[in-house]
Amino acid sequence: MPTARFRHPFFPAAGLLAVCVGICLVAAPAAAGEGMPAADAGAPITQVLERSQALRLAALTPVAAGDARLQLLQQGFQQVLAHAPEARGLPVTLQVVTGPVLAETFHGRVLVVHADLAARPEGERLFVLAHELGHAVHADWAAVRAVYRRHIPAEVVQQRTDPVAALLGREMSALSHEQELNADAYAMQVLGRMGYGIEVAIATLARHGVQPDTPTHPGTRRRLAGLRNAAP
């Protein structure tokens, strides 16, 4: 299992402004200065965000069709969907990959998990899948896009992005934390319908020890407190 920059059971690599969320938003490249790709210069911010997501998704390696891990995780995903009426009609798909991703949601609809998630106990697998589904159900990607459009309403150029970079980073961090806590609560709701208790969520979050707050994710203690508050 890849561990580079790994903080939580579903923690994506941070973007240039450290404002990634569970759905792996990459910050506007223009805010980074001269390293902005030429394809992004002068483009609308939503186009920049979508392109960044597409490039990261394309860089991942899907597992072979006959891989037993793929079958197990697809089966688990179908179990989650069967207990998630809120997701009916949503164009969500699951991709199982290898590489530096454990679990992220791309474009608000493509749930990506690492194949080694199949080695986790069933409850933990389902919790991670339901957490990522929660990002799609809550339309988190649309909320992220709206924040960026509000701060960068015109084309992406450094003169516009530099002045708002700090404020945008703070606002995105706060939004990210809120979205992660909401996705945790949603995952626990779905697993409750499947007969699991809060101990499954606790085991999932505690697997890698107590983690502090980061710009993108609340710390382990905050996440556990959020789950206890959300428990019926």
Side-chain angles (χ1 to χ4, degrees), residues 13 35 51 55 80 92 96-97 105 111 132 138 148 167 185 198:
R51 178 177 178 275
L55 289 173
V80 168
V92 292
V96 180
V97 303
T105 302
L111 282 60
E132 294 305 321
H138 296 154
Y148 270 91
L167 177 60
I198 193 173

Side-chain angles (χ1 to χ4, degrees), residues 54-68:
L55 289 173
R56 292 198 66 250
L57 184 58
L60 301 174
T61 304
V63 299
D67 194 309

